[in-house]
Every structure is written in structure tokens, then in C-alpha cells.
Amino acid sequence: MSRIFGTDGVRGIANTELTSELAYNLGRAGAFVLTEGTHKPKILVAKDTRISGDMLEAALVAGILSVGAEAVILGVVPTPAVAHLTRKYGADAGVMISASHNPVEYNGIKFFDNRGYKLSDELEDKIQKTIEDGFVGVPSPIGKDLGKCHFEADGINKYMEHAKSTIATELTGLKVALDCANGAAYEVAVNAFKSLGAEVHVINNTPDGTNINENCGSTHPKALMEYVVREKCDVGFAFDGDADRCLAVDEKGNLINGDFILTICAKALKEKGQLKDDTLVVTVMSNLGLDIACKAEEIRTFKTKVGDRYVLEEMLKDGYVLGGEQSGHIIFLNHNTTGDGLVTALKVAEVIKEKNKTLSELASIMKELPQVLVNAKVPNHKKNIYLEDEEVVEAIKAVEDFPYYKSVGYGGLPNEEMEVELDAAYMDGNTLSIGAVAAIKDFANPVSIARRLSKEKVNNILVGEGAEKFAHKEGFERKNMLTDRAKIHYRNRVKEVREQEIKPYAGHDTVGIVCLDQQGKMTSATSTSGLFMKKKGRVGDSPIAGSGFYVDSSVGGASATGLGEDLMKGCISYEIVRLMAEGMHPQAACEKAVNQLDHRLKERRGHAGDLSLIAMNNKGEWGVATNIEGFSFAVATENQEPIVYLTKNKDGKCIHEVASQEWLDHYMKTRMAPLEEK
């Protein structure tokens, strides 16, 4: 059996991958492992609103009772409520049945220990081994020794009162819009804000078992952004299905993500003397703008691997009180042991009231910088900023998940049949292992699939249906990657090119990373949706080793973006690495390779497509070259704060200039501007 626990519990399609049998086994094994030696242990069980929750709850509880443990059923409550109530009730463990932000067909099972913390990998592995070993040594009591269950109806109210107690002000006069994602926050969030005096307006709070996260909540904030403006609200908050994350919307309808929220709250806590060591804990994928804003406020940022569990680990080590992720998983450690969407929303509302400022004014503390192509040198571990191969993938995933990057992942521009087909690749510079997928549909993060393929001895590059079958078998997340925004782009372009030959989309992007870690290991990864309105099944340079990417830890690495058909004609990423192996500096190698290919194509046929390359050698020296005007990229090094650059080719030499704030603002504004059909 492959590992059944992922980054956040056990997840899969309910009744297919996550079956009643598996839920029973998890309940039985989990109850035994987490309460071994405890007399009549007590385990809390809760769920979100998805229809499969009843089925899985019944099976899970049966497993818990089968080892003689008591099951306390909380009903529909947010995930952070389980963490809090496990401590409050003195329970031995807590279990949440939820697939968080995923579509209704998915569900998940997540355990908390008696302190309300997510389980370590070691404990999860112990639970799985208990199942695999056939429950050897696990008791099967009979008669009076069997476990009982009872329903705790007041648990949700106790959690609500706890959440309210985290702020020191009433919210009277504040007009608040809530998007409850038809999930676990649909009652408690509304009641909490109303009882604190806020004027509450609500959307997506009528769960029917099948509409959780459906075009709503924190993963689809557009409806809330429009609603806040239309109803003239002061602020809006969007939760996900289990309400462990929260994003905000300002009075102008702008999305305020987790990085902004963290910066706002860190400043507020620092001013009160409540921010331990003036330190904010974030992940390596926090926006570059957060670093700049925190530095200006004399707030230190401590960076971890991607994942709220790693944020929490670092917070606990030194007692830091605030940490989180761009996605809206925010941990206020003085109040809860996990991301808490309701507490986050209340904390932001508190700052608005106390400062007597609009959310847009508060959010102006930070400017979000574009992160398109990243070249990173890892610093000294004492500085706690590092990227390993896993973090390279997570960095790519963050871009894949952002719907406004039109040529990458979710929201990527479709092919001529209005389907989103994705290409991605991963390469390990130590082993030269490569994994790639091409023309894959309906999977959320193709770069993760590519990395998994790199571990195989053969069958490292899969396309179309073959890639999809592999991804499904390995349990990767299914997702419809075609957004409403992409559909508008498509329909507008159809009108523009009607009766014309389809051309590559202007502004085409690929996300590509070259990374060097503290041990000298180098990795590279890419992801793209390719050319706008491309032919079905078209494959560009991004998943092709030597063209879209190449890395060798003994030399360096490179990654490409532009017109793939032309980039492949020069095997240009490999060529740059070859030139670096001959002793050439990355900048000189990039310029030579780009200029030569550009010249060769123009000489042979009169024109060349877009060619842009980033590169880094094993010393951490970097270079960028392009044949277009204003190519943008970001650099983070040991001795340099993350900076966004623009580069242009002038007489064969590439000139890099730091992007102005005006350019950065315009970049994000144009990316996220509302669209209308022409």
C-alpha cells in the first residue's frame, strides 16, 4: 500500500478512493494509536456540509467504537472548532471529515491529537501500519466494554464564544459581507458577527450537501468581490469549505489575500507589543511584497517550507504568535493551534474598527509583486530562507493555483476546442532524473505529477490520457481548470481571429524555476498551459528536457519561456548549461545562446519567435537573456532581497532594470482587471 496520508490527512473521491471501509479502518486504527493505554478514551468527530460526510461519519464512528472508545459527535463545525474543542473537552483526539476547498465529490479525514495539533508523519505512518498489519494487537471488546457515542449540540456555540473572545472590541457600525462557501461556517460565522453588533450580509450559506465550494468561497472570490461593491459593504470575508482559511475583500472590491492579512495583523500586534520578537512566520512562497513591507515596519519574517504544519512547527519552537500562508491559512497561536478562518476574519475586523480605517487603506501597507519566473540561491540555514526540491514544486503550484496567470494552471488559456491542456516538468540536478507531463487535462497541479514521474525508472514522460490515468491512480487532485475568466478570453479571441489563422497569444508566459540549495543540489521545474488556442494535443518546449529546462548540479541550470516551437529548434536550455560547463558566466551563456538562435532563425526564414531564458550556475551566479522588450523575472539570492527585474536586449547585450512600483502596480491591475465579452 502506498502512503494514504497526504499533506493534510487522507483525501480522495468519496465512495471510490475514500471508502466506508477505509474510514472504518482509519477510525479503528486512529483510536487505538492515539489513545493507547487510555481508559475509555474520548474522541471528537465532526464534518463539513458535503453529502458524503454522513456516510464517512457513520463508518469512522463505528471504527472508533469497535476499540472501546467513546465518540462525541459534533455535527457540522469548522475544522478549527475541532482543534479547540478537543482541548476544551479534554478529549484524547479529534477527527474532522472534510476535503477543505475541494469539490463535493472529494472528502477527507484529518486527525488532531489531544492538544489540538495535526499529527506528525510518524503518527500517521503508525496508523497506516496498524491497518496494513491487520490490526494485530488492537482490542475487539464485547458487551459493556464496547464504545458509545453521543451528540454534543453545544460544541459549535462554545467554539463561537471562543472565537468572539479573541477580539477586544464590538463591531457595531461595521457592514460585513460573508461568503460561507456553503460549508461549515454557514451558521457560526454569521452568528458571531451579528452578536458582536456588525450589520451582516451573507451569500452562499444554504448548503444542500452538493454545493460546497461550488463557484464560491475563498477559492472563487469573484462573487463576493462584486457583492461587496454592490451592497456598499465595508469589508467582505470568504471562507473555504471547512473554514480553516479566510480571504478578505476591501470596500472597493479588491481581493486581500493571506499575505496582506498577515502583514496587517502583524503590524497591529507589534504596535500593541503583542508580536513575539517582532517576528512573523511565513512560507517560502509568501509574496515578495510581504518581505518589503515587513522590513519597512521592522518586522522580521521567518520562512518555512510550504504548508501550515511547517509554519506551526516553527511558531511552537520559539513561541511566535502569528504565522500563515498566502492561501488564507492564518494561525493566531494565542487562540488556536491551526488555521482559523473565523478568528482571522474577526481579527481583521478588529483592526478596521480600532484604526478607524478602510481595509484598502490598511492593505496599502503592502504592494503585491509579480512572481513569474524565479531564480533562487538558497542562503545560510541560519537565515531560515531555503528552498529544497519539494519547495520548488510548491512554488510552481502557487502560480498554477492563481487564476489570473493566464498561461499557467488554473485559469490557463484554453486550446482551440476550449479545453485547458497543461504541460509541466521537473528535473533533479543530482541524479539527472526527469519527469514530465504534456496535454494533461483536469488535474490541478501538473508539476506535482511531473515530480512523481521523475522517481520512476522508466515511463518518465506521459501525455494526454496516459498522464491522466497515471495521475488518477496516484491520487492527484482532479479539478476543472477552465475558469469563467478564461472562457471570456476565449470567446473574445474567437471574435478577433475569426476567418484568420490562429496565432500564439500575445503575453504568453511559462512559470519556470532554477534552484540551488544549501547542500549544492540544483533542481528545475516548469509549468504552462501553452499557446492560447493551440491545436488539441500540442506540446511546447516546457516539458521537453534540454529545451524548456535543464539542470545539472555539477554545472547549473536554465529554464525557458516564449514560443516553444522556436525554443526547441535550439535545445537552448541544454546549450546554456553546456556553455556554463565551459566556464562561461550564466549571463554571457544566456546572451550567446539567445542571440545565436535568434540570428539563425532570422537568417533561415526572416523572423524569430519570443525567446527568454533564465539561468544559474552552481555558484549561485545568475543570468537572463531575451529577444523581446520588457521581459520580467524575479530573483532571490543569499545576499539580495527578492527583486523583480525587467530586461531588454540592446545590440546583443541584455540590460536588467529594477521594476518600478508603477510597473508592478500596473502589472497586477491588468492581470486582475474585470473582463467583459466583446
Side-chain angles (χ1 to χ4, degrees):
M1 181 187 295
S2 59
R3 196 171 193 273
I4 60 175
F5 287 90
T7 57
D8 203 19
V10 179
R11 287 186 183 174
I13 297 174
N15 212 33
T16 299
E17 298 162 339
L18 182 52
T19 62
S20 295
E21 179 183 16
L22 179 54
Y24 173 84
N25 288 339
L26 285 168
R28 183 167 170 78
F32 174 71
V33 169
L34 295 175
T35 66
E36 194 172 2
T38 304
H39 179 70
K40 264 309 180 187
K42 178 167 65 178
I43 300 175
L44 306 188
V45 179
K47 60 188 175 185
D48 66 19
T49 58
R50 63 191 74 218
I51 192 169
S52 58
D54 292 346
M55 174 188 75
L56 295 174
E57 179 188 66
L60 181 78
V61 169
I64 292 170
L65 303 182
S66 74
V67 297
E70 175 188 358
V72 180
I73 301 174
L74 300 174
V76 174
V77 304
T79 290
V82 178
H84 170 71
L85 294 172
T86 298
R87 297 190 304 277
K88 184 173 182 64
Y89 288 146
D92 298 283
V95 192
M96 181 67 186
I97 303 169
S98 173
S100 188
H101 59 282
N102 287 296
V104 65
E105 61 266 27
Y106 288 84
N107 216 323
I109 294 174
K110 177 164 51 183
F111 289 90
F112 293 91
D113 66 17
N114 60 358
R115 301 169 299 165
Y117 295 125
K118 295 176 182 178
L119 303 190
S120 65
D121 289 342
E122 291 74 19
L123 275 175
E124 289 178 342
D125 290 341
K126 191 174 181 180
I127 292 172
Q128 179 165 343
K129 191 173 189 307
T130 300
I131 297 172
E132 292 175 342
D133 290 347
F135 298 94
V136 174
V138 179
S140 296
I142 60 174
K144 65 180 182 179
D145 294 325
L146 278 166
K148 293 182 178 181
C149 68
H150 72 270
F151 185 73
E152 179 58 59
D154 198 43
I156 189 67
N157 292 324
K158 286 184 169 62
Y159 165 69
M160 182 183 74
E161 292 304 317
H162 163 71
K164 288 165 55 182
S165 73
T166 64
I167 65 172
T169 183
E170 295 288 317
L171 302 180
T172 305
L174 198 65
K175 189 173 182 180
V176 179
L178 301 177
D179 183 345
C180 298
N182 292 312
Y186 81 102
E187 287 185 329
V188 66
V190 178
N191 293 338
F193 273 93
K194 283 185 176 179
S195 65
L196 287 166
E199 179 184 339
V200 181
H201 298 253
V202 193
I203 59 174
N204 301 309
N205 69 322
T206 55
D208 62 9
T210 63
N211 59 0
I212 187 170
N213 299 317
E214 186 177 22
N215 296 316
C216 59
S218 62
T219 53
H220 299 87
K222 182 180 178 182
L224 180 64
M225 294 161 71
E226 294 173 348
Y227 184 83
V228 167
V229 175
R230 185 170 64 250
E231 298 298 323
K232 299 180 179 178
C233 297
D234 298 311
V235 62
F237 297 107
F239 306 102
D240 63 340
D242 67 335
D244 67 346
R245 69 169 85 177
C246 172
L247 299 180
V249 174
D250 71 20
E251 77 285 357
K252 299 177 181 179
N254 299 311
L255 183 65
I256 308 298
N257 65 29
D259 284 343
F260 284 93
I261 293 171
L262 285 163
T263 307
I264 292 168
C265 291
K267 180 182 179 182
L269 289 173
K270 181 176 182 286
E271 291 174 347
K272 295 178 179 179
Q274 298 175 357
L275 187 66
K276 173 72 161 50
D277 295 339
D278 294 338
T279 297
L280 171 65
V281 183
V282 295
T283 76
V284 293
M285 272 311 298
S286 62
N287 189 267
L288 309 181
L290 179 146
D291 296 283
I292 296 169
C294 286
K295 185 177 182 180
E297 296 293 332
E298 298 183 341
I299 295 171
R300 185 171 77 100
T301 54
F302 189 110
K303 295 196 175 182
T304 77
K305 294 191 289 184
V306 176
D308 61 332
R309 65 191 297 177
Y310 301 112
V311 172
L312 179 62
E313 285 176 5
E314 295 301 332
M315 293 175 71
L316 290 171
K317 284 181 183 178
D318 294 295
Y320 300 132
V321 299
L322 180 62
E325 298 183 287
Q326 191 178 77
S327 63
H329 282 110
I330 312 294
I331 302 172
F332 291 87
L333 196 55
N334 286 341
H335 306 301
N336 213 338
T337 53
T338 188
D340 193 322
L342 178 55
V343 170
T344 299
L346 291 172
K347 284 292 188 181
V348 173
E350 179 185 40
V351 178
I352 293 172
K353 286 288 290 184
E354 290 182 343
K355 294 293 185 180
N356 194 28
K357 291 183 177 180
T358 64
L359 183 53
S360 65
E361 290 175 313
L362 294 170
S364 67
I365 187 177
M366 174 186 151
K367 298 293 185 183
E368 190 170 43
L369 306 185
Q371 295 169 293
V372 182
L373 284 155
V374 180
N375 172 346
K377 167 97 185 284
V378 179
N380 187 296
H381 69 280
K382 293 182 180 180
K383 295 186 179 181
N384 304 301
I385 304 174
Y386 54 88
L387 290 171
E388 299 173 354
D389 57 340
E390 181 180 349
E391 278 63 58
V392 171
V393 171
E394 293 295 338
I396 297 279
K397 286 170 64 177
V399 181
E400 290 176 334
D401 291 338
F402 187 61
Y404 297 100
Y405 288 132
K406 298 184 292 185
S407 293
V408 181
Y410 184 65
L413 292 169
N415 63 20
E416 64 178 357
E417 298 184 14
M418 207 167 74
E419 300 172 321
V420 178
E421 292 184 316
L422 302 172
D423 301 341
Y426 170 87
M427 186 170 184
D428 184 321
N430 280 3
T431 64
L432 303 185
S433 298
I434 293 169
V437 293
I440 188 172
K441 297 186 297 184
D442 299 327
F443 280 90
N445 296 112
V447 72
S448 298
I449 305 167
R451 180 172 181 253
R452 173 65 181 83
L453 282 167
S454 74
K455 309 300 182 183
E456 300 290 317
K457 292 183 179 180
V458 295
N459 301 308
N460 299 114
I461 303 175
L462 299 178
V463 302
E465 184 181 356
E468 292 157 14
K469 285 184 176 180
F470 175 83
H472 176 70
K473 182 180 179 182
E474 293 296 314
F476 288 97
E477 179 188 351
R478 285 189 176 275
K479 185 175 182 179
N480 181 4
M481 304 300 280
L482 183 64
T483 64
D484 291 341
R485 187 178 180 88
K487 292 177 184 177
I488 295 173
H489 277 298
Y490 175 87
R491 289 192 286 264
N492 286 343
R493 179 51 60 92
V494 168
K495 294 175 183 178
E496 293 169 355
V497 303
R498 188 173 291 136
E499 309 301 327
Q500 300 177 33
E501 182 182 353
I502 295 174
K503 301 292 185 181
Y505 178 71
H508 166 75
D509 286 328
T510 297
V511 58
I513 290 181
V514 179
C515 175
L516 169 66
D517 74 11
Q518 189 67 29
Q519 287 71 46
K521 179 180 179 179
M522 298 193 73
T523 50
S524 181
T526 64
S527 184
T528 184
S529 61
L531 297 182
F532 185 22
M533 301 187 75
K534 64 189 178 184
K535 297 291 184 183
K536 183 180 178 68
R538 181 263 188 187
V539 179
D541 69 296
S542 294
I544 306 301
S547 293
F549 66 96
Y550 196 81
V551 65
D552 182 338
S553 297
S554 67
V555 181
S559 183
T561 185
L563 181 57
E565 282 77 0
D566 280 2
L567 287 161
M568 287 187 284
K569 292 178 174 67
C571 297
I572 195 165
S573 290
Y574 179 82
E575 175 64 8
I576 289 171
V577 175
R578 186 190 69 79
L579 291 171
M580 289 193 295
E582 293 181 351
M584 198 170 286
H585 187 279
Q587 185 60 44
C590 285
E591 288 176 355
K592 182 174 181 177
V594 169
N595 291 335
Q596 284 187 344
L597 181 57
D598 180 76
H599 177 75
R600 192 183 316 142
L601 291 171
K602 289 176 178 176
E603 186 179 56
R604 300 288 182 92
R605 66 186 193 192
H607 63 91
D610 295 353
L611 312 171
S612 300
L613 277 294
I614 64 169
M616 180 169 60
N617 63 20
N618 63 357
K619 301 176 183 177
E621 299 167 330
W622 60 270
V624 174
T626 186
N627 68 346
I628 64 173
E629 186 76 18
F631 172 67
S632 62
F633 62 98
V635 177
T637 74
E638 180 176 3
N639 301 310
Q640 178 182 291
E641 292 287 334
I643 296 176
V644 177
Y645 291 91
L646 301 176
T647 193
K648 59 184 178 182
N649 192 315
K650 188 174 182 179
D651 300 326
K653 295 291 183 181
C654 288
I655 302 170
H656 313 312
E657 297 179 350
V658 177
S660 67
Q661 190 60 56
E662 182 182 6
W663 184 93
L664 296 169
D665 292 342
H666 179 73
Y667 178 94
M668 295 307 299
K669 184 178 180 180
T670 54
R671 290 280 174 138
M672 302 179 67
L675 289 181
E676 295 183 359
E677 286 198 40
K678 298 179 180 179

